Amino acid sequence: MESDMNFIVMQNLKMLIKIKNSRFLLAVATLTAFNFIAFMPYFQQPPAHAQSRKIIITENKLLISASANNKFKTFVEKQTYSIAYPQNWFVTRSWRNLVHITNRRLPKTGDGSFPDYLIKTDVQILEENFQSVLTRESSSPSPDGDRLIKRESLKIDGKNAVRLWFTGEGTEMLLTLLPYKGNKTAYMITFYTKNNSHFLPLIERMHSSFKSLN
């Protein structure tokens, strides 16, 4: 009888140990799963965050591509002037003393509005002396309502030049003036929208590349 009781006690003890071991393994498995879930965000970014970061990186690349590191070509108006411009932009001559440099091809027809994507630079030689042009262009606001917001003196082609920044209703403008041979004035003005303000270093570089060939 006593041996039977001992056998039952031993069996119950073994079962209890198995139950305890099973609970321990279950607890370990649960804790491991919890830790994996808790720490998963540190190893795996949510898609939205990853996408946001990708957009930021893309924008940075666009800013870099719009900087002064772009490759330039040189346009030459024979016996008049030369000017450098981004190699993938376009040059259109209206007449000998007026050239358009644009980041896209100029549309043949339009409604007169300025497209958001367009950057347009007019380069011309004015039959007017430098000081007269500077005095007229420095008036703010202009008859068109454009307001002068910045002025800078600098050297271009060995001459004392002046650069003016304007803001208007639909477009921003960067104007560079410098004396030209025969009491004339080299006149470079770029029209762009605020969305394209990050192209300013490139535009300034283009203006500063002007060289008289006379």
Side-chain angles (χ1 to χ4, degrees):
M1 182 70 177
E2 184 178 354
S3 61
D4 290 338
M5 287 295 297
N6 289 338
F7 175 79
I8 293 172
V9 170
M10 289 299 297
Q11 288 296 102
N12 288 339
L13 183 59
K14 288 180 180 179
M15 185 177 296
L16 180 61
I17 290 172
K18 285 184 179 181
I19 292 172
K20 286 184 177 181
N21 287 340
S22 297
R23 287 177 178 173
F24 174 76
L25 292 174
L26 179 61
V28 170
T30 304
L31 181 61
T32 302
F34 174 80
N35 287 339
F36 176 78
I37 294 171
F39 287 99
M40 184 170 61
Y42 292 92
F43 295 97
Q44 182 179 359
Q45 293 178 329
H49 182 77
Q51 184 177 4
S52 174
R53 184 177 177 187
K54 184 177 181 180
I55 291 172
I56 292 172
I57 292 172
T58 302
E59 288 176 350
N60 288 339
K61 286 182 179 179
L62 288 175
L63 289 177
I64 292 170
S65 68
S67 72
N69 293 325
N70 287 59
K71 293 182 179 179
F72 274 55
K73 293 173 67 175
T74 300
F75 169 78
V76 177
E77 187 63 77
K78 190 176 180 181
Q79 297 180 340
T80 308
Y81 66 84
S82 68
I83 187 170
Y85 65 98
Q87 65 175 356
N88 57 338
W89 288 22
F90 304 91
V91 176
T92 307
R93 181 191 281 108
S94 290
W95 61 82
R96 180 176 175 80
N97 284 340
L98 176 59
V99 166
H100 307 298
I101 301 173
T102 55
N103 63 328
R104 305 279 187 91
R105 290 192 183 277
L106 282 174
K108 294 182 179 180
T109 58
D111 58 3
S113 61
F114 193 87
D116 286 341
Y117 62 80
L118 188 64
I119 301 173
K120 177 176 175 284
T121 299
D122 294 341
V123 185
Q124 57 185 316
I125 306 300
L126 300 182
E127 300 284 338
E128 189 177 354
N129 71 73
F130 173 77
Q131 194 56 52
S132 297
V133 177
L134 177 59
T135 300
R136 183 181 68 248
E137 296 295 336
S138 297
S139 60
S140 181
S142 71
D144 297 328
D146 303 318
R147 183 166 50 88
L148 177 64
I149 56 175
K150 185 179 175 182
R151 173 175 172 153
E152 178 186 12
S153 297
L154 66 162
K155 286 276 189 182
I156 297 178
D157 193 29
K159 303 176 180 68
N160 293 321
V162 174
R163 183 164 289 162
L164 306 171
W165 286 260
F166 296 89
T167 185
E169 285 188 15
T171 58
E172 308 293 299
M173 284 154 284
L174 178 65
L175 171 64
T176 302
L177 305 170
L178 67 149
Y180 188 81
K181 180 183 176 181
N183 208 25
K184 299 175 185 178
T185 303
Y187 185 100
M188 294 164 280
I189 186 166
T190 299
F191 304 87
Y192 61 97
T193 61
K194 288 183 179 179
N195 291 338
N196 286 325
S197 295
H198 57 279
F199 280 96
L200 270 174
L202 182 148
I203 295 168
E204 291 173 12
R205 178 183 170 188
M206 183 168 59
H207 284 212
S208 296
S209 70
F210 182 94
K211 285 182 172 49
S212 171
L213 300 181
N214 269 326

